[in-house]
Every structure is written in C-alpha cells, then in structure tokens.
Amino acid sequence: MSGRKIGINVRISIGAMVALFAATVLLAGDTESTPFPGVRYVHRHVTEPRQIDMHIVLVDLNRSGVKIITTGPNNDPDTHTDFETTRQFVKRTGAQIGINGGFFGYNRKAIDTGKGNLCSLAVSDGRIICGWGHNQHDAVNIGADNTVTFVRRAKDDKTGSATDPEVKLYNAIAGNVRLIDNGKILAKGGNPTYPQTAVGHTADHRLILFVSDGRQPDFSEGMTYEEVAYVLKEFGAVDAIAFDGGGSATMVMADGKSGKPRVLNRPSDGKERAVGNNLGVIILEKP
C-alpha cells in the first residue's frame, strides 16, 4: 500500500501538524470499509516520517444494538482474570471487534497457569476487578447506556476506585497516558516510538479504537503518544487515552460473513500475546 507524508513528525511545528490534519481525513493509500452497521474501518500505511501501519475503527454509539464489553473476573481468589488473546476474547464473547486493554502482571505463574492480576482500574458489567494502581491514574468508563466518560483517580480516593468526575463505573479500563482532554492534546514530545493501542471518543458520540504496529522497521516502526493523539484528533476525538501497547497491541475483527475473528495488525512479538483484559464491541444488527 502506498503512503505519503502525514505531518506527525514531532520535529515540525504544532501549527503545521494542525494544518495538515485539518485538510482531510483520508490520505492517499488509505483503505476504508463499513464491515458492520455503524462501523467505519480505516487501514492506513504511511512511509514518512517513518514506516507506520495503523488501524482505526469508529463505532457509532448512537445506534441501537451496540454493546461494549470488557473482560470479566475469574473465580480464582488469588488472581483477577484468565489471560487470553484478543482473538480468543472476541471468539468467546461473540464480539465483532476487539482490542487489548489495560496493563497486567506477566510473570512465570501467569504464563504457566493462564491466570493473573491487573495493574490498575478494571471494571466489567459493574463489577470492579481491580482498583487504581500506582502508575495509571486515567481511565475511560463506558456506561450501560454507552455513555462515555474519561475519568481520573479522585484525589481523596479512599475506596481504591473513586473517580473524578464521579461516575457509576460499568465497563472501565485504565490507561497510562491521557492523550486528549476536551479537545486539547496533552501528550507532548518525542518519546520512543512504540506499538500503540488507544481509545478515543468524538463529539458526535463515536468510539474510536486505534492500534498501530511497531518494532518492525521494514513494515511499521511505531508511533509516539503525541503522534497517536494527532491521528485520533484528525478522526474527531475530543477525548482519548492510551492503553497497554508494545507486544500486547492487537486489533481483531470478525469476518462479516463467516464470523471468524482475525487479527488485523501484526503484533510485535511475532505472535498474539495473552493479555489480562480486552475491550470488545458487539453489533447485534447484522450486515
């Protein structure tokens, strides 16, 4: 697939980046499809400022029959969840779309048993699986009615899961970097490029799921948080957060006809990684 300059090189001015992104959403070489009702999928590959391969999915939360899910707790008193790949999660839950979620502990016990603990706030169907951790203080919460709220850990948190603004936690996943807040890009600087997973929300109530590959110089070298923020804002995000990236970064989509889930990106481990939690989209209305 061909590519072109997209203006995400952080060495150019912020004004130049804004001007470039304001020009158009689709770039030469982008491919676009509507795999499910109310779902727009864009695959983008660019060659400058470096090789980057991206997958962007916009889900219209205004439509009926759209359900957001996250990984639930297991029944083990010593661990939080059963680890599984994003593809296994999508297949098990009957979702059409899935991405990896928040951070988790990946030790020998977890590898051997397939069970492990999460590192920060994770809530599924109103059940708190893990409270706030030490390093992640921002999260996205999606209510039972698909209301999307980006929250921070409350300063006076005494419960381990209090948020600001205060919300009824339903499906929540914490991330490590708040990328966009009320239209303002917060992520700055040229931190090392990385495989990325992120979630954004638009003013017209669309959920943006984002994954970019990295650590593969001949295919995709990765992105900085600031670069991810500008792409998400280009697609309309007014709020956004980064989830766990690196070898965990994975996006899965079910085939519209067979329903068989497939991995859209190329995880940097060379294979799919079993992770502690995932976020999925169930479209009840079939194409």
Side-chain angles (χ1 to χ4, degrees), residues 60-71:
D60 186 356
L61 296 179
N62 298 291
R63 298 176 63 97
S64 62
V66 178
K67 182 179 180 181
I68 306 300
I69 59 172
T70 57
T71 299

Side-chain angles (χ1 to χ4, degrees), residues 1 17 20 22 48 50 65 81 111 118 135 139 143 155 236 262 273:
M1 185 179 294
M17 282 193 280
L20 283 167
E48 296 185 38
R50 70 192 78 87
T81 64
I111 295 173
L118 307 179
N135 298 319
K155 291 182 179 180
R262 61 187 180 92
R273 177 185 289 181

Side-chain angles (χ1 to χ4, degrees), residues 64-99:
S64 62
V66 178
K67 182 179 180 181
I68 306 300
I69 59 172
T70 57
T71 299
N74 60 23
N75 296 317
D76 182 351
D78 298 321
T79 60
H80 292 139
T81 64
D82 293 339
F83 285 10
E84 60 187 344
T85 66
T86 305
R87 175 157 48 177
Q88 289 171 331
F89 168 78
V90 167
K91 182 177 181 180
R92 176 177 61 82
T93 61
Q96 281 75 38
I97 308 161
I99 60 171

Side-chain angles (χ1 to χ4, degrees), residues 11-287:
R11 290 175 294 181
I12 69 175
S13 70
I14 297 299
M17 282 193 280
V18 172
L20 283 167
F21 283 134
T24 182
V25 171
L26 289 181
L27 301 179
D30 286 356
T31 60
E32 181 179 19
S33 63
T34 305
F36 304 101
V39 175
R40 177 189 180 200
Y41 166 49
V42 177
H43 180 206
R44 171 174 293 180
H45 189 96
V46 299
T47 57
E48 296 185 38
R50 70 192 78 87
Q51 294 272 358
I52 308 173
D53 204 69
M54 295 170 263
H55 301 269
I56 306 109
V57 171
L58 293 91
V59 180
D60 186 356
L61 296 179
N62 298 291
R63 298 176 63 97
S64 62
V66 178
K67 182 179 180 181
I68 306 300
I69 59 172
T70 57
T71 299
N74 60 23
N75 296 317
D76 182 351
D78 298 321
T79 60
H80 292 139
T81 64
D82 293 339
F83 285 10
E84 60 187 344
T85 66
T86 305
R87 175 157 48 177
Q88 289 171 331
F89 168 78
V90 167
K91 182 177 181 180
R92 176 177 61 82
T93 61
Q96 281 75 38
I97 308 161
I99 60 171
N100 67 293
F103 294 81
F104 55 93
Y106 201 56
N107 52 30
R108 174 49 58 183
K109 181 180 179 181
I111 295 173
D112 291 342
T113 65
K115 300 177 182 292
N117 290 313
L118 307 179
C119 298
S120 194
L121 187 69
V123 184
S124 177
D125 288 341
R127 298 166 295 177
I128 297 176
I129 303 168
C130 181
W132 291 107
H134 297 294
N135 298 319
Q136 287 84 47
H137 301 286
D138 289 274
V140 59
N141 180 66
I142 303 172
D145 60 353
N146 285 341
T147 298
V148 179
T149 310
F150 286 75
V151 300
R152 286 188 60 83
R153 184 174 188 171
K155 291 182 179 180
D156 59 348
D157 178 23
K158 295 180 176 61
T159 66
S161 59
T163 66
D164 181 17
E166 184 178 354
V167 297
K168 183 177 180 180
L169 293 172
Y170 188 72
N171 282 321
I173 295 179
N176 64 333
V177 175
R178 182 69 181 271
L179 301 172
I180 306 173
D181 181 8
N182 195 28
K184 180 181 179 181
I185 291 179
L186 301 183
K188 302 294 182 181
N191 53 295
T193 58
Y194 206 64
Q196 300 277 8
T197 299
V199 168
H201 184 237
T202 70
D204 61 352
H205 199 35
R206 297 173 194 271
L207 192 69
I208 306 177
L209 309 181
F210 178 91
V211 166
S212 64
D213 283 316
R215 298 173 178 164
Q216 302 169 70
D218 294 333
F219 169 64
S220 187
E221 296 183 46
M223 301 175 72
T224 68
Y225 291 123
E226 184 176 13
E227 291 170 347
V228 174
Y230 271 97
V231 172
L232 290 173
K233 188 166 184 177
E234 174 195 356
F235 280 87
V238 293
D239 291 286
I241 192 171
F243 281 169
D244 184 16
S248 299
T250 307
M251 180 178 287
V252 171
M253 185 176 292
D255 179 81
K257 294 183 179 180
S258 70
K260 183 177 180 180
R262 61 187 180 92
V263 179
L264 298 180
N265 68 307
R266 302 183 190 178
S268 63
D269 283 357
K271 61 180 180 180
E272 299 168 65
R273 177 185 289 181
V275 297
N277 72 346
N278 293 281
L279 182 149
V281 180
I282 296 176
I283 308 293
L284 298 179
E285 180 184 355
K286 301 300 181 182

